[in-house]
Amino acid sequence: MTSPIKIDIWSDIACPWCYIGKRHLEGGLAALGDDAPEVEIEYHSFELAPDTPVDFEGSEVDFLAGHKGIPMEQARMMIDRVTGVAAQAGLDYDYDALQHTKTLKAHELLHFAKEQGRQLELSERLFRAYFTEGRHVGRTDELVELAAEVGLDADAAREALESGRYGAAVQADIAQAGAYGIRGVPFFVFEGKYGVSGAQPAEVFSQVLTQVAGERDGAAA
């Protein structure tokens, strides 16, 4: 019995391409059907905009223009483009409702969820809350509610966030990304040796998974 293929994903809850990349990876696995290998997925922290205030006043266009220096018209075009790509992946992004915020606490909660065996469920829940439901994923009360929705203990989740005890784990992930030379997310690492950057099409993930599985079968023969 071979162990699952390990997929490490560096990602940020506030990254629109990370949610799309998640769907494309899932699509790549689904496309392999009965030939799909078993996988073990682990999410790692990456803050795209660590200087973001928790309570940012304004829209995503305002953030891109004011904090990133991108012209307003170009920012609107970027958002329209990513919304269109997301729709093709079955995701209904709502940038009018989106509440831009700092994602540090969300990353801490993901580390707590990993210890409880609920990281994948929480990752999906946070993405959906942020991009399609207009929830504020920077505030502890909101994060605790979302944690409870995926079966995590609300009191334990609150304690984890208020104590800040997963802060070091978040920074360790970010440092590891730097060691790997990761400058943008999503970034997928298969079996600790193959890197895939960006929200590649589903067929790319199918090819990588098939290649890795084939190499493992060859090595075991």
Side-chain angles (χ1 to χ4, degrees), residues 3-219:
S3 59
I5 290 173
K6 183 69 188 297
I7 307 175
D8 292 284
I9 306 173
W10 272 262
S11 170
D12 193 355
I13 292 303
C15 165
W17 296 105
C18 291
Y19 200 8
I20 293 166
K22 182 179 188 296
R23 280 293 183 271
H24 287 178
L25 172 62
E26 292 163 355
L29 273 164
L32 294 173
D34 292 339
D35 294 326
E38 190 178 348
V39 299
E40 177 192 344
I41 296 171
E42 181 177 341
Y43 279 90
H44 298 274
S45 306
F46 192 98
E47 271 197 291
L48 276 177
D51 58 340
T52 307
V54 171
D55 292 306
F56 177 78
E57 296 294 334
S59 67
E60 186 73 0
V61 170
D62 295 329
F63 176 80
L64 291 170
H67 277 239
K68 299 299 179 186
I70 296 169
M72 295 283 271
E73 193 54 42
Q74 184 182 340
R76 289 191 188 93
M77 288 171 63
M78 288 168 62
I79 287 171
D80 287 346
R81 175 172 175 257
V82 77
T83 301
V85 176
Q88 292 173 350
L91 300 170
D92 185 19
Y93 283 6
D94 186 352
Y95 272 98
D96 291 333
L98 185 147
Q99 298 189 63
H100 196 94
T101 187
K102 185 173 178 63
T103 56
L104 183 62
K105 285 296 175 185
H107 285 300
E108 291 181 19
L109 189 63
L110 282 165
H111 277 277
F112 167 73
K114 180 173 71 174
E115 281 194 358
Q116 309 299 317
R118 285 272 193 276
Q119 193 193 44
L120 299 188
E121 294 91 335
L122 183 65
S123 173
E124 175 67 28
R125 188 67 193 94
L126 289 173
F127 275 130
R128 181 157 54 90
Y130 185 74
F131 282 107
T132 75
E133 297 174 356
R135 302 279 290 269
H136 195 308
V137 302
R139 293 177 184 154
T140 296
D141 286 351
E142 197 94 3
L143 288 170
V144 168
E145 281 184 27
L146 294 167
E149 286 182 26
V150 298
L152 291 164
D153 182 87
D155 292 337
R158 183 177 297 279
E159 188 279 327
L161 291 172
E162 290 180 348
S163 69
R165 62 190 165 94
Y166 291 96
V170 172
Q171 296 310 316
D173 275 354
I174 293 170
Q176 182 65 65
Y180 276 149
I182 298 171
R183 289 178 172 63
V185 287
F187 195 93
F188 304 79
V189 178
F190 294 79
E191 292 286 275
K193 58 182 180 178
Y194 296 109
V196 174
S197 178
Q200 299 294 330
E203 51 267 29
V204 171
F205 289 112
S206 294
Q207 290 165 6
V208 173
L209 286 162
T210 300
Q211 179 184 339
V212 172
E215 287 179 6
R216 286 175 57 152
D217 290 345

